Amino acid sequence: MQTSERRTALRSPKDIVVAREYARELGSLLGMSSIGATELATAISEVARNALTYGGGGEVVLSQFAEAKRRGIRVTVEDKGPGIADIDLAMKDGYSTGESLGLGLPGARRLVDKFEIVSKVGMGTRVTMTKWAS
Amino acid sequence: MLDFWTVYEDHYEELQRELEKAASTDPVLQSVIHQVPQHVRDEQNRLSFELTRKALVDSEWEPWLENLQEQGGAYAAMGVSIPSWFRIVSDFRRLLRPSLRQVYANDRDRLAAAIEAMENFTDLALSEIATAYLHSREELIIQQQEAIRDLSTPVLQLRQGLLLLPIVGMMDSHRARQLTTQLLHSIRAQRAKIVVLDLTGVPTVDSAVANHLMQTVQAARLLGAKGIVTGLSAENAQTLVRLGASLSGLNTLGDLQDGIEEADRLLGYHLIRETGWVPPSNGTAGD
Amino acid sequence: MGTSILKQRDYLIATVQSDLSDEEWQQFQDDLVRRIGLTRARAVVIDVTEIDVLDSYAARILGTTVEMVRLRGAEAIIVGIQPDVAFAMVQLGLTLDRVTMALDLEDGLEYLDSIGPRRRHSIHAD
């Protein structure tokens, strides 16, 4: 059985493309639908870009994840940047009022099934997303 | 437990015969017995017996539990439900009790302990089987729901280049998403230029419907298809606006008939272009 | 790079052949705007058929590219957005409202033919 984890360092925009490719690869291994894989890849793009632009780079880890009878992909995007001072503000969803997406985080959350963000000023930020395969 | 086991083991053959006789009075069990060939049943019984021994004597419960789960699921697929299993277990206890009483007649404590062991054992068996049965029913229901969803293809092609999607209320978000992606794939496959979204089947618009509608229209536009909304009552139109749905650039027409006529008009325009006629003087392409 | 820009009649066909990184998108925009000036094409078809993901950055760049092309007196349309990509985009609110879309290159060229050359020197006011 192939290893079901993929990691990539986030040092340049090209690495975001690599991370998205990994998502597709894992997605098709798990039989994820095309739309699901696209949504996950798009969410990874948004979050990884944040980590690169505001977090000074970091790492993306993708792995297979199972819970009860469901299988899916879990992605963590981590950076050791300045951290987010007001997480609630960063996660505020301006979608319904048509505001433009500043950090892309609320958008990413809409595209995945589970979304967690941990951030500490001066320490960094870690976003964990899960998308089910079915 | 061991006391219970020794009596069970000694009376196994006889017990099996009696159980089978009792089962033959239950129509479901009877049909199952007929479906499964004798040698397979014998093998299954032998395996169960061995695993039971492992569990009661060697305290290896895992294999026995797993086997029960498998059996529960497998028989559920054949229509054996909880009442039937309950019956089998009752019969088992009823048939074994006299033997237990006979063997431990002189030791009331041992008898009580053996009977309790039997009852715990059979309770555990029944609960494992019941759980497995429920899981298999749940899975079956989910499969059937999906099959129904796949069968109903609400995206209709009315004419070349024209698709109709009736919107209904009370759709869960999974279903709404499925419809939108289905529509988008249809737009591409059939090169549709116009999508009529008919809201006649939605008495009251809520934010879920509004969201679904907006996303569908916007996504269709990204594929070069124009959305026409029909069947929108004045009240629903107001609700949509209040919910922040942007109706600008959206043709919202009276009823479905109007929508189709408008679509024809727009498509007719395109047709004129293909045969090389001069387009209307304002030069806008079906906007 | 993963893009190509070819002249076809009065048009430029700008094809994005693979997923681009942010820097490559920026490069694409620079190239395209430069080529419009050089070739005096009257319209551009930006073909994203091969793209699997269009995130907020890519959408923004596409939007500004279209605007920049229009400021130079030409029209720009986008074709080939895939169904899955379109759905993900609208969930993110990336609707590119001010841009005209067509299903693919064929439909795109048909549309451009229909709006005629008179658009050439006008600023597109959509």
Side-chain angles (χ1 to χ4, degrees):
Chain A
M1 170 101 153
Q2 291 176 303
T3 48
S4 53
E5 189 184 271
R6 306 272 189 277
R7 336 181 131 232
T8 177
L10 262 188
R11 280 187 287 264
S12 79
K14 281 211 202 332
D15 297 328
I16 301 182
V17 181
V18 171
R20 294 192 323 219
E21 272 313 300
Y22 283 164
R24 292 206 162 268
E25 209 180 298
L26 274 186
S28 75
L29 271 180
L30 285 177
M32 194 180 266
S33 67
S34 169
I35 177 66
T38 302
E39 286 167 340
L40 180 61
T42 310
I44 289 174
S45 212
E46 298 293 313
V47 177
R49 175 170 303 103
N50 252 26
L52 205 53
T53 314
Y54 303 110
E59 189 184 47
V60 180
V61 180
L62 296 94
S63 56
Q64 239 187 28
F65 181 71
E67 186 188 82
K69 296 207 161 196
R70 294 193 286 191
R71 287 196 314 165
I73 299 179
R74 168 158 282 184
V75 183
T76 56
V77 180
E78 187 159 350
D79 68 68
K80 300 262 187 288
I84 300 174
D86 190 341
I87 293 188
D88 286 334
L89 188 60
M91 292 303 300
K92 205 150 95 127
D93 200 340
Y95 175 67
S96 54
T97 57
E99 286 162 22
S100 74
L101 300 156
L103 288 182
L105 293 178
R109 179 168 61 179
R110 273 201 295 284
L111 292 171
V112 298
D113 296 312
K114 285 209 234 184
F115 186 98
E116 277 163 31
I117 175 166
V118 177
S119 186
K120 210 158 165 180
V121 172
M123 305 253 325
T125 306
R126 182 174 68 237
V127 174
T128 308
M129 301 183 280
T130 309
K131 186 128 179 117
W132 302 119
S134 47
Chain B
M1 279 281 172
L2 269 176
D3 286 343
F4 156 55
W5 167 253
T6 24
V7 178
Y8 176 40
E9 188 178 14
D10 287 340
H11 291 87
Y12 182 67
E13 300 281 337
E14 190 191 316
L15 196 57
Q16 284 299 118
R17 272 199 308 275
E18 293 296 317
L19 277 176
E20 207 145 295
K21 249 206 288 180
S24 65
T25 63
D26 179 323
V28 176
L29 292 176
Q30 190 54 19
S31 89
V32 166
I33 289 175
H34 278 145
Q35 274 180 55
V36 183
Q38 180 74 44
H39 70 273
V40 176
R41 275 188 286 125
D42 286 345
E43 178 57 33
Q44 270 174 10
N45 289 337
R46 198 197 58 76
L47 178 65
S48 294
F49 188 68
E50 272 311 304
L51 291 177
T52 307
R53 177 209 299 278
K54 271 210 163 82
L56 291 173
V57 176
D58 302 331
S59 292
E60 267 183 49
W61 289 94
E62 275 310 308
W64 177 74
L65 284 170
E66 269 176 38
N67 179 243
L68 272 183
Q69 281 161 13
E70 262 177 53
Q71 299 231 7
Y75 281 117
M78 282 194 266
V80 180
S81 65
I82 307 282
S84 299
W85 284 111
F86 205 73
R87 219 210 133 132
I88 293 175
V89 168
S90 298
D91 287 342
F92 179 89
R93 302 211 264 225
R94 180 175 54 82
L95 291 166
L96 196 55
R97 233 181 254 124
S99 308
L100 283 173
R101 269 197 215 109
Q102 197 182 49
V103 171
Y104 299 112
N106 299 322
D107 190 330
R108 295 189 61 164
D109 288 339
R110 266 182 98 174
L111 175 61
I115 289 186
E116 194 181 322
M118 173 183 75
E119 283 174 0
N120 288 346
F121 175 75
T122 47
D123 280 347
L124 183 56
L126 192 58
S127 98
E128 277 305 306
I129 291 178
T131 309
Y133 172 82
L134 282 176
H135 274 150
S136 102
R137 295 310 282 175
E138 272 168 19
E139 272 185 38
L140 182 62
I141 288 174
I142 289 174
Q143 272 172 29
Q144 287 172 340
Q145 279 177 343
E146 298 220 359
I148 290 173
R149 272 202 199 119
D150 290 342
L151 280 180
S152 54
T153 42
V155 178
L156 305 162
Q157 182 175 34
L158 290 182
R159 313 220 196 298
Q160 180 59 40
L162 172 58
L163 293 177
L164 168 65
L165 176 66
I167 309 266
V168 304
M170 298 204 299
M171 224 186 323
D172 63 36
S173 63
H174 175 84
R175 179 65 173 141
R177 167 199 171 84
Q178 200 183 29
L179 280 185
T180 304
T181 44
Q182 216 177 328
L183 175 70
L184 296 175
H185 281 105
S186 297
I187 291 175
R188 186 173 65 155
Q190 282 146 32
R191 310 182 65 81
K193 290 213 165 73
I194 300 190
V195 178
V196 175
L197 297 153
D198 185 48
L199 286 172
T200 308
V202 182
T204 324
V205 161
D206 60 16
S207 62
V209 174
N211 227 30
H212 176 217
L213 186 64
M214 291 318 299
Q215 285 189 352
T216 304
V217 169
Q218 285 163 349
R221 196 189 76 87
L222 292 178
L223 269 67
K226 183 182 192 58
I228 296 179
V229 176
T230 59
L232 195 58
S233 67
E235 196 184 305
N236 279 343
Q238 283 171 15
T239 311
L240 275 183
V241 172
R242 237 185 308 116
L243 287 173
S246 156
L247 294 180
S248 70
L250 198 63
N251 290 28
T252 52
L253 296 162
D255 59 23
L256 186 53
Q257 180 70 21
D258 294 337
I260 295 177
E261 278 172 23
E262 171 69 5
D264 274 347
R265 192 184 71 75
L266 294 171
L267 286 173
Y269 170 79
H270 291 167
L271 203 49
I272 288 172
R273 263 201 289 112
E274 273 170 36
T275 58
W277 291 14
V278 177
S281 58
N282 65 8
T284 48
D287 264 330
Chain C
M1 201 168 69
T3 62
S4 87
I5 303 177
L6 302 171
K7 187 103 189 292
Q8 187 172 320
R9 293 187 279 142
D10 282 352
Y11 307 130
L12 282 186
I13 316 287
T15 310
V16 185
Q17 288 148 336
S18 63
D19 280 291
L20 302 182
S21 69
D22 293 1
E23 291 155 346
E24 287 166 334
W25 274 113
Q26 188 58 59
Q27 184 72 53
F28 173 67
Q29 181 183 72
D30 295 342
D31 286 347
L32 188 52
V33 175
R34 204 171 18 96
R35 288 286 298 269
I36 281 279
L38 290 174
T39 62
R40 297 162 70 77
R42 71 174 170 92
V44 180
V45 178
I46 302 177
D47 188 344
V48 294
T49 304
E50 300 298 316
I51 300 281
D52 287 334
V53 176
L54 277 176
D55 59 18
S56 60
Y57 186 89
R60 256 195 299 273
I61 281 235
L62 281 171
T64 51
T65 304
V66 170
E67 277 173 46
M68 287 165 88
V69 167
R70 284 175 178 162
L71 282 174
R72 308 200 73 148
E75 171 62 307
I77 64 173
I78 298 179
V79 308
I81 298 181
Q82 296 302 307
D84 293 338
V85 176
F87 192 50
M89 282 173 70
V90 305
Q91 285 181 85
L92 281 182
L94 309 167
T95 52
L96 290 172
D97 283 341
R98 294 157 47 82
V99 180
T100 303
M101 316 283 182
L103 185 68
D104 57 16
L105 184 57
E106 182 188 324
D107 276 8
L109 291 174
E110 194 181 293
Y111 167 71
L112 288 174
D113 285 345
S114 78
I115 61 176
R118 78 175 177 86
R119 288 240 175 210
R120 180 148 190 220
H121 295 293
S122 64
I123 293 184
H124 189 104
D126 217 0

